[in-house]
Amino acid sequence: MSEVHPLQAVYEPLAVSVRNLIDVAIRTEADAATVLAATELIDAANRELSVALMPDSFGLRTTPDGQGTAWGNVAIGVRNPVAPPLVVHHEADGRVWTEFVLGAAYEGPAGHVHGGVCALVLDHVLGATAHQPGRPAYTGTLTVRYLRGTRLGALSAHARVARVEGVKTFAVGEISDDRGVTVQAEGVFIHPKQPPPSEAEESPAG
Amino acid sequence: MSEVHPLQAVYEPLAVSVRNLIDVAIRTEADAATVLAATELIDAANRELSVALMPDSFGLRTTPDGQGTAWGNVAIGVRNPVAPPLVVHHEADGRVWTEFVLGAAYEGPAGHVHGGVCALVLDHVLGATAHQPGRPAYTGTLTVRYLRGTRLGALSAHARVARVEGVKTFAVGEISDDRGVTVQAEGVFIHPKQPPPSEAEESPAG
């Protein structure tokens, strides 16, 4: 077990609370006075947290023990309340998988996951087959096939490398619910030989 | 100008506050005591809003004037703090476009929009070319080509119908920044002749 970074113990519960708030803000049927009072509490929290802000975005930061963190990432970032967040598991044979729950915040068609959110999950999980520490991979092409609607709830995603050609990794994968596969994808992920200046920072696939 | 639904005046500012909070929660560098105090305010707001919650997700609801609303939609929902939210414009010739700003909450590679978020935007905007009131369209296939990294900031997306074959609409489109196109997409969107039972609710593309 690697040690949890001390700051994570402060910021991760904040993200968890905001993640809950997103869900509740969508689903509340409280009356106008209650919503107004809650909004004032949220604005007060906003002011407190804004006393010290990093410019722009989280980016990729390094913890004191030298590990890179992508806590702001929209798919996996433990500090990003928009992220489910995905916990991506890597098997010894190169397969990648994750189990996750998508609620009201990810809705497209009524009761179903937005097709674009399925694409986001698949982009990240397929990309994770190609990404290596110190050797990021960027999506070149992603093709997503929707077999049927994906209901909001408990889901899983799996991906594997189909083949590698030079700097290109061809990956395939799918999202499944408890009745089987709902969405399939294939993608080409590229390890730039020399990252362009605007993307020179080391960063995870996505 | 259509009248704003009375409840929108209550719930939309709540979503705006939570949307700001997401950004601040990712970017704050406040000390542990401040973060803890803010988290307590957020949890208090959570409790207030939770006194009355709709089950599951927002779905598609109808306002008193009979208009359908997708306020919970992850791309366009004005009650969904995860949504930018996109405001999708339809031109008389069928073209669809939107201008939007993506900040820290949508990050993948450092300083850049996650490729999966680009796919989400393109899925929604291309789908909007096919969607008609009372005649929803669902994504069949989406192919996304990443020409270069898309920096966080002000962006636009455009889409148009390439051709229609029976129940299938073939759409193409792209995301652009101030220097040109960053991501291209093509998609097939399907109007089900008879929606399957699990998707019988009328709902927007996505």
Side-chain angles (χ1 to χ4, degrees):
Chain A
M1 289 281 277
S2 62
E3 264 187 285
V4 172
H5 185 264
L7 284 176
Q8 188 161 335
V10 175
Y11 292 118
E12 194 169 340
L14 170 65
V16 170
S17 285
V18 179
R19 211 171 276 130
N20 289 339
L21 182 64
I22 292 168
D23 182 71
V24 165
I26 296 168
R27 294 169 56 223
T28 188
E29 295 183 315
D31 60 30
T34 303
V35 173
L36 190 62
T39 304
E40 284 172 3
L41 288 171
I42 294 160
D43 289 341
N46 263 332
R47 284 190 297 274
E48 295 208 12
L49 295 171
S50 297
V51 293
L53 289 178
M54 60 186 78
D56 306 322
S57 61
F58 190 87
L60 190 80
R61 291 174 175 239
T62 308
T63 55
D65 64 359
Q67 287 205 303
T69 66
W71 288 347
N73 187 285
V74 66
I76 59 169
V78 294
R79 276 196 64 174
N80 188 336
V82 173
L86 300 182
V87 177
V88 178
H89 303 276
H90 293 259
E91 299 294 335
D93 65 2
R95 286 172 189 260
V96 168
W97 60 275
T98 180
E99 293 179 342
F100 53 100
V101 176
L102 297 182
Y106 305 98
E107 189 172 47
H112 291 75
V113 182
H114 194 293
V117 172
C118 295
L120 165 59
V121 169
L122 286 163
D123 177 56
H124 200 91
V125 175
L126 267 65
T129 67
H131 180 62
Q132 294 156 18
R135 192 161 179 257
Y138 298 92
T139 315
T141 310
L142 182 74
T143 299
V144 188
R145 281 183 205 87
Y146 299 84
L147 307 187
R148 58 183 170 86
T150 302
R151 290 201 72 87
L152 294 171
L155 299 164
S156 66
H158 292 76
R160 65 184 190 282
V161 173
R163 65 184 194 280
V164 175
E165 293 179 8
V167 297
K168 293 184 180 177
T169 299
F170 294 77
V172 295
E174 67 276 327
I175 291 175
S176 303
D177 63 14
D178 57 6
R179 293 182 296 144
V181 175
T182 63
V183 187
Q184 296 174 324
E186 54 187 65
V188 183
F189 299 87
I190 300 166
H191 292 285
K193 284 168 188 171
Q194 182 140 15
S198 69
E199 295 182 359
E201 305 92 343
E202 175 186 331
S203 54
Chain B
M1 288 284 276
S2 61
E3 265 186 283
V4 172
H5 185 265
L7 284 175
Q8 189 161 334
V10 176
Y11 292 119
E12 194 168 340
L14 169 65
V16 170
S17 285
V18 179
R19 211 171 276 130
N20 289 339
L21 182 63
I22 292 168
D23 181 72
V24 165
I26 296 168
R27 295 169 54 224
T28 188
E29 294 182 315
D31 60 31
T34 303
V35 172
L36 190 60
T39 304
E40 284 172 3
L41 288 171
I42 295 159
D43 290 340
N46 264 331
R47 285 190 297 272
E48 296 208 12
L49 296 171
S50 297
V51 293
L53 288 178
M54 59 186 80
D56 306 323
S57 62
F58 189 86
L60 189 81
R61 294 178 172 235
T62 309
T63 56
D65 63 359
Q67 286 206 305
T69 64
W71 289 346
N73 188 286
V74 65
I76 60 169
V78 294
R79 277 195 63 175
N80 189 335
V82 173
L86 300 182
V87 178
V88 179
H89 303 275
H90 292 260
E91 298 295 335
D93 65 0
R95 285 171 188 260
V96 167
W97 60 275
T98 182
E99 294 180 340
F100 53 99
V101 176
L102 298 182
Y106 305 97
E107 188 172 48
H112 291 75
V113 183
H114 194 293
V117 172
C118 295
L120 165 58
V121 169
L122 287 163
D123 176 55
H124 200 92
V125 174
L126 269 64
T129 67
H131 180 62
Q132 295 156 16
R135 192 160 177 257
Y138 298 92
T139 316
T141 310
L142 182 74
T143 299
V144 188
R145 281 183 205 87
Y146 298 84
L147 307 187
R148 58 184 169 85
T150 303
R151 290 201 72 89
L152 293 172
L155 299 164
S156 66
H158 293 76
R160 66 184 190 281
V161 174
R163 67 183 193 281
V164 176
E165 293 179 7
V167 297
K168 294 183 180 176
T169 299
F170 295 76
V172 296
E174 66 276 327
I175 291 175
S176 303
D177 63 14
D178 59 5
R179 291 183 297 144
V181 175
T182 63
V183 188
Q184 296 174 325
E186 55 189 65
V188 183
F189 299 87
I190 300 166
H191 292 287
K193 285 171 186 168
Q194 183 143 14
S198 70
E199 296 182 357
E201 304 93 344
E202 175 186 331
S203 54

